[in-house]
Amino acid sequence: MALKKQQIITEALELLNESGLEGVTLRKLASRLDIQAPALYWHFKNKHALVNEMAEAILQREFHDLKEREKAESWQDWLLHMFNHLRKAMLAYTDGGRVVAGAHLSLTMADLSETAMKALVNAGVDLRRSRLIVLTATRFTFGHVIEEQTRITEQEMQELHMESFNQEHPTLTAGIEEYFSAGKTVDDLFNDGLRMIID
């Protein structure tokens, strides 16, 4: 039976979860599918093309049925909701942020941007400001998720002297402690940052 494109993407996403983006190679993928690597080139001319398709699959988990803003809903609330779904989609996979942010000409991301900008324009926000809000919020979400998914290694933790760090960065330390001492979570941190852009 001929190997289907969706089978390859599904297997690639499983490999992504197990090994991260660096671990996704055409050679490893071919081995897992029990085929020769050249057979993959019928569907993907290189790894970049494969990653683009993986990004689409990641996004479609949350945006297979993207709904436009209802008239009774504020554009700010609608936009917050949409970018929370974008974050959720990327967090569902190891290095999902890097995969989606690194994909070029993603049709799903283009659809998201179009729908978001249209929601703002229809709410009375001018075109230029609409584009800048959506673009900035998108890049904020990408960066936030990539940072969330970047793990500190055990060696880095051992080399970090927290007491010295705190003494040398008192304002930074105080700001972090003040924020989280109020019971805030990493989800709150994302949404509070997003509101700074949207509001």
Side-chain angles (χ1 to χ4, degrees):
M1 183 182 293
L3 196 63
K4 294 182 179 179
K5 187 176 185 179
Q6 189 55 49
Q7 288 178 272
I8 300 172
I9 296 169
T10 299
E11 193 65 36
L13 289 172
E14 290 183 11
L15 181 57
L16 176 71
N17 267 339
E18 293 172 12
S19 307
L21 185 55
E22 276 77 18
V24 178
T25 67
L26 294 179
R27 180 173 294 182
K28 284 184 182 179
L29 191 54
S31 177
R32 289 169 68 101
L33 291 165
D34 197 25
I35 59 172
Q36 297 296 314
L40 294 174
Y41 291 101
W42 283 101
H43 300 284
F44 310 101
K45 61 182 179 180
N46 51 39
K47 180 178 175 178
H48 185 71
L50 172 63
V51 170
N52 284 345
E53 293 287 352
M54 291 166 63
E56 287 294 294
I58 289 171
L59 291 168
Q60 282 298 310
R61 282 175 56 101
E62 291 292 322
F63 296 107
H64 62 279
D65 185 24
L66 178 62
K67 291 184 171 53
E68 295 189 357
R69 180 182 70 91
E70 299 287 342
K71 287 186 178 180
E73 186 178 16
S74 74
W75 67 263
Q76 292 92 339
D77 288 343
W78 182 88
L79 208 57
L80 277 168
H81 182 73
M82 192 198 80
F83 280 109
N84 270 275
H85 275 284
L86 177 58
R87 175 175 175 248
K88 181 180 177 183
M90 293 187 289
L91 286 176
Y93 290 93
T94 302
D95 287 341
R98 291 176 59 201
V99 172
V100 174
H104 298 292
L105 302 177
S106 164
L107 292 179
T108 303
M109 280 306 305
D111 288 343
L112 293 182
S113 296
E114 172 68 22
T115 305
M117 287 180 61
K118 182 180 176 182
L120 271 63
V121 169
N122 288 345
V125 182
D126 67 74
L127 181 63
R128 183 175 182 275
R129 183 164 175 250
S130 296
R131 178 178 180 271
L132 289 174
I133 289 172
V134 172
L135 181 63
T136 305
T138 299
R139 291 179 174 177
F140 169 78
T141 304
F142 285 165
H144 197 282
V145 172
I146 290 171
E147 184 175 344
E148 284 184 277
Q149 294 184 319
T150 302
R151 304 300 179 197
I152 299 176
T153 66
E154 186 175 337
Q155 181 179 348
E156 288 173 329
M157 285 299 296
Q158 291 174 349
E159 293 174 351
L160 178 62
H161 302 288
M162 284 303 300
E163 187 174 346
S164 298
F165 180 90
N166 293 341
Q167 289 176 352
E168 293 169 8
H169 307 88
T171 310
L172 171 62
T173 301
I176 294 171
E177 291 177 349
E178 184 275 334
Y179 185 85
F180 288 107
S181 66
K184 295 278 191 175
T185 66
V186 291
D187 294 334
D188 294 319
L189 185 62
F190 172 73
N191 282 298
D192 286 345
L194 195 55
R195 286 189 184 94
M196 295 289 288
I197 298 167
I198 293 174
D199 293 342

